[in-house]
Amino acid sequence: MDRRRLTLVRAGADAGFRRIGSGYLIAPRLVLTARHVVEEHPGAAWPRIDVRVGHPQDDTRRCTAHVCWTHSDGRDVALLLLDESVEAPGAVRWGHPVGNDPLPYDALGFPAATTSDGQYGVEHLRGELPVLGGGSGDQDRYVLDQGPAPEADSRSGGRAWAGASGSAVFCRDHLVGVVIHDDEAFRNRRLHACPARSFVDDPGFADVLERHGDGRPRLSQVGTDLERYLRAARLAATEHPYPGVVPGTMPPLSHIYVRQQVVSRNSPAEESAGNAGLMASGLLPASPPQPADEVLTGDGACLVVGGPGGGKSSLLRTRLTHGATRWLDGTADPGPAPVLVPAAALVGAPLSRALAGTVNAQLHRYGLTSPLPDTFFEDRPAPGHGWLVLVDGLDEITSVSGREDVLRTVAHAGDQYAFVVATRPVREAEQGILDPQVPRYELEPFRTDELEHVATGWFRALDVTEPEQTAQKFLRTLHAMGLIDLARVPLTMSMLCQLHANAPTEPLPRGRGAIYRGFVDLLRERQYAAGAVEQARAALRQYGSDAEAGAERTVQNLRPILADLAHRLLFAVEHEGRPALDAVQDHECAERPAAVPERRWREFLESVLCGTGLLTRRSDDLVFTHQTFLEYFAARHAVGDEKRLRVVFRETFLRSARPRRPFGKRWAPPDHDPFGGFLLDITPDDHPLKTEFLTLITSGRAGLAGHEFLVKQARSGTSLPEGVIKDSVKLIGGLSRDRSLDGFARLRLIAVVSNIDTTLETEALRELAADPTADNYARTVAAITLGGLAPGEPTRFLGDLAEDAPGGATPPSRLGAALALTELDMAAGLRQLHELARDSGVLLPERMRAAIVLRMLDGQSGQAELLRALADDTTLPVGHRITVGWLLHDADHDTATALHEKIARDPATQAAQRVEAARSLSGIDPRRARTVLGELVDDTTLGRRHRRQAAELLSRTRDSKPD
C-alpha cells in the first residue's frame, strides 16, 4: 500500500458534487474505485468526476476523469481514466487470500466520520479479513472486521463509513479487494469488500490495464503456507548475522552489506574441455572474481568456501532475501524458493523433515506462528520450481561422520532440491562424496576500496556524527596500524567499527586476539548498561538469599563459564548430543540453588547467556553467534589454567608427527583454525612453551609447513614477535631462489611470503620465470603471477617459453605458455600458436590442440591444410578426428563430411563413436546424415541401445528444416 496512490474521488454534475468516495491509483492514468461512487444510476456515470491523487499531508495532484470500465456482471467496481498522467513508483501487485487463518488487512480512505469543516481526513483502515467469510455469487465479498470502527452520528448523516467506498484493501502488500459498503446488520461498524479475484480476470479490465497500465494483472495467492514461510524467512534474513552492540537492534544487513565476489575453484581448462573436448589440460589463467549473486543461481549444487568470519552467513542471508522477494513480488520466473538451514540440522534426519523442523523452530518469532507440516518441503513449491537449500556452517559440525552425512544428503537429494553449501575448508568436501563436477567457489574478502563504504554504513547505523568523514579517518588509522588485511574480513571489520564508534579517541587494539577481547568487553558493558543482568537476577529474588547469591556467582563468572562451554563444544568433551544448557550447569559457578525450580534456573541461565550477545537460540539449543567466538573462548579456557595450557599447547603445536620425533619435516599445523591462532596469541610471549615452539619453527625443523603456518597466522592477525616473522620470511625468501628445489616447491615458498613482502615475492617470481633449469609449467605460473605485480614483464617470459628453442620447453608447456600469452598479448599468443601448429617436429596431438585453440580464438585461421592432415591421421583417437572434422567443415565441407561418413560406416570403430560421427554430420549436412543414420538403424551388428540412439537422431533430423 502506497500513500502516494491514495485518491479522493468526487462525482456529480455542474451544479456540484453529489458523491464522495475513495480510490487507488493503479497506473499513471487509472484509478480503481467503487462503481456506485461514480454512477448517478446503474449504467450512467456522473457527468463530472474530479480526483485528487496523493495523501493530504504530501503533494497532491488534481485531475478530471471519466469512467472507462465497469464490470460486465454488475460488480460494484469501476476504473477511471485520468485526463493526465500521475506517476507513482513501483507497480501494484494483485492478491487472492487463501487458507483458513484470518489475515491482517490495511486500507486508506476518506470516511465521513473524519469530516471537519467540510474537509475529509484520511482514515487508516485496519483489522482482520476472515478468509472463510463471505459467500458466492452476489454475496461473494470479503468481510472486514474493522477496528476501531466509528459510530454513525449526525455529521455523517448516519453513515460513518460514507466516503470510504472505493478504498483499496491490501493484505501483505497485495491489493485484494475494494471497499463497497458497510454492513447494516452489524450497526454499520463492519465493512464489505469486492474481491479482486472477482474482477481482475474480466476481459475488459485486463484490456484497459494492457493499454494504460503494466500489462494484464496476475493474481498471487496470499496466506498460503509457502507465502507465510517466505515472509517470515525474509524478515529473519534481514538481521545482521554478527553480534553487535548497537543500542536496541543491529542495523539491517542490507545497510552494511557489500556485494560479495567469488572465484571459481574449477580449472578453466576443464571448463573449456567441456566444449572442445580436446583443449590442452595445461595452464590457463585463473578465473576472475564474479559477483556471487550471478553465480549462486540454484542450478544443482555448489560449494562455497571461505575463511573464518569471511561473510558466508551474510552471503546466504542475502541470497535468501533476494530469492524470497522474487517469489513474494510475483516475479514471472522467480527461480527456486530458498530455505536457510544450519548444516548440523541435517545430520541424521530426513531432509524434508529437518528443513521443516528448523524453519518452525527459527521463524516462529518472525511471524510463522502456525508451524509448517513435516511434509512441507517434500514437494516442489510450485510446478516447475524447486527448493534452494542454503546450508550454513558445514565446518561447525565437529564429527567427520556428521559432515560426511550432510554431504551425502546433498549428493543424493531429489531433483526438487538445489544446494549452496557454505563452509570453511574441510577435507570431507574434497574427498569424492560430492560429484567432481559440483562447482567449487572461494569467497573473496572485502576489497580494500570497499572498506570505506562498509565503515560509513556501520558508523551511520551507530549514529556517529559525520559518518563519511569518520570513515575516512578510520581507514587512515587502519593503514597506519597495519590492520587493513584484518579489516578485509567482514566479521573483524564489524568489530573494529563498533570498537571505534564506542571509543573514538582510544587506539584500536592490535592483533586478532586483542580485537576479540576488546569486543567481548564491549558486549559485556552493553549487557550491564541495558539492565539485562539485573532483570535476570531480580527474577530469582523470590527464592531467597541463596538463590540471589547463586545468580550473582553465575553472572560474575560468565567468562569462565563460556570458556568451559566453548571447550566442550569444540572438542566434544562429554558433550556429544547434550544441550548446551546441560553443559553450562556442569560448571561449578552455574549450579542450580536448591530453592530454585529447574525450569526457572534454566530460564535464568538462558537469559544471561543470550544477553551477552555471544550466544543465541538456534532450533532447540543455544549456540555461539559465530564459530570464531567459540574458538576464542576455547583458547581462553586453555590459557586460564597452567596445567591445562601445557596439555593443550603441546597437543596443538608440539605433537609428534611421523616420523615419530618432535618437529619432523612432516609436522602438521593445528586442525582447529583459528583456535590455534587464538591460543598462540593469548599465550604470553615469555611462556616457555611458546618460546620453544617459535624457536623450533624459525630453525626450520618443522619444515616448510611450519613457516607457512607462522606467515598465515601473521596475515590473519595473530600477534607474534616481530623478529619471528622477519626470520621466517628471510629464510623462505632464500629457499624460493634455491635452484636445487623443483619449480613447484619454489612456487609454494613464494606463495607463503605473498602479501608479506611484495618486493621479495616479485624478485623471486622474476628469477623463477627466467630460470631455464626450472620446470616449464612452474615458470609459466610464475610469469602469470608476476603480471599482477609487474605488468608487462610476463609477455617476455611467456614468449620465450612458447618458442621452440634448443633444450627449451616441451610441446605441452609451449602450448600452455602460448595460451597464457593470449591473455596478455593476443597477437603474440596467436603467432606462437600458429608456429606450434605448423611445427612438424611436434607430435600431432599437440599440433591438433594448437589448431583447435586457434579456431576457437581466431575463427578461420586454423589452416584448412593442417586440419586436413590431422583428419587423415588414423593414429589419432577417433573422437579427436571427429572434432577436427567439425572444425574443418566451414573451410572444406566435402572433406569434413567424407570423414564423418567414413567413421560412421567403419565396422571396426566402436559403436558409440560411429553414432557420434553421425550426430556431428547431422549438423554439417543433414541430407547425408539421414542416409548414414538409416544405415546405422538397420545395422544388426550394433547393439540395441546404439541403434535406438541412431533412430532418435534420424527422427530429429527428419523433423528439422529442409536442406
Side-chain angles (χ1 to χ4, degrees), residues 647-943:
V647 173
V648 174
F649 198 98
R650 287 193 176 279
E651 174 61 26
T652 303
F653 295 121
L654 301 174
R655 63 174 183 259
S656 297
R658 297 178 181 175
R660 290 188 175 278
R661 62 176 185 273
F663 280 80
K665 289 193 175 182
R666 294 178 63 181
W667 176 80
D671 291 331
H672 298 284
D673 187 39
F675 168 78
F678 283 129
L679 181 61
L680 198 59
D681 194 330
I682 298 173
T683 302
D685 284 348
D686 59 356
H687 194 283
L689 285 174
K690 186 171 182 178
T691 302
E692 176 188 357
F693 170 69
L694 294 177
T695 300
L696 291 170
I697 285 282
T698 53
S699 71
R701 290 181 60 193
L704 179 58
H707 295 289
E708 286 179 319
F709 172 76
L710 278 188
V711 174
K712 179 181 177 182
Q713 289 301 319
R715 290 167 58 182
S716 299
T718 301
S719 294
L720 294 168
E722 185 175 350
V724 169
I725 299 301
K726 285 185 176 180
D727 289 346
S728 281
V729 169
K730 182 178 179 181
L731 179 62
I732 293 170
L735 289 172
S736 68
R737 297 175 173 181
D738 186 348
R739 293 194 174 191
S740 66
L741 298 177
D742 64 50
F744 295 98
R746 291 168 66 181
L747 280 173
R748 184 180 170 193
L749 288 158
I750 294 170
V752 173
V753 299
S754 62
N755 295 329
I756 295 289
D757 189 332
T758 55
T759 300
L760 188 154
E761 179 189 12
T762 302
E763 293 174 354
L765 287 169
R766 188 179 290 123
E767 287 190 20
L768 178 56
D771 186 357
T773 66
D775 179 272
N776 291 303
Y777 182 91
R779 292 176 63 191
T780 304
V781 173
I784 294 172
T785 308
L786 182 62
L789 300 169
E793 288 195 34
T795 303
R796 173 171 58 87
F797 293 121
L798 292 171
D800 291 342
L801 281 166
E803 290 180 357
D804 184 19
T810 58
S813 297
R814 290 179 60 193
L815 179 59
L819 287 172
L821 185 58
T822 61
E823 297 289 325
L824 303 172
D825 186 335
M826 179 62 77
L830 291 175
R831 185 169 59 252
Q832 295 294 346
L833 287 168
H834 276 291
E835 293 181 6
L836 184 58
R838 294 193 186 100
D839 190 341
S840 60
V842 174
L843 294 177
L844 277 173
E846 300 304 327
R847 296 173 62 192
M848 184 192 69
R849 291 187 178 100
I852 291 172
V853 173
L854 276 170
R855 172 58 186 268
M856 295 174 65
L857 297 177
D858 199 25
Q860 295 291 333
S861 65
Q863 297 291 335
E865 181 179 351
L866 173 63
L867 290 171
R868 277 193 292 269
L870 294 171
D872 292 338
D873 187 353
T874 57
T875 65
L876 291 179
V878 173
H880 291 198
R881 297 176 66 204
I882 294 173
T883 301
V884 170
W886 174 262
L887 294 173
L888 182 63
H889 80 271
D890 284 340
D892 189 340
H893 181 273
D894 291 341
T895 300
T897 52
L899 173 64
H900 283 88
E901 287 178 319
K902 182 177 180 180
I903 294 174
R905 288 173 169 146
D906 184 1
T909 299
Q910 292 181 1
Q913 293 175 326
R914 294 175 64 185
V915 174
E916 184 59 32
R919 185 197 308 274
S920 182
L921 180 62
S922 66
I924 298 173
D925 192 327
R927 180 182 59 81
R928 295 170 74 170
R930 284 193 285 270
T931 301
V932 173
L933 286 166
E935 295 172 4
L936 293 176
V937 171
D938 296 333
D939 189 343
T940 57
T941 65
L942 296 179

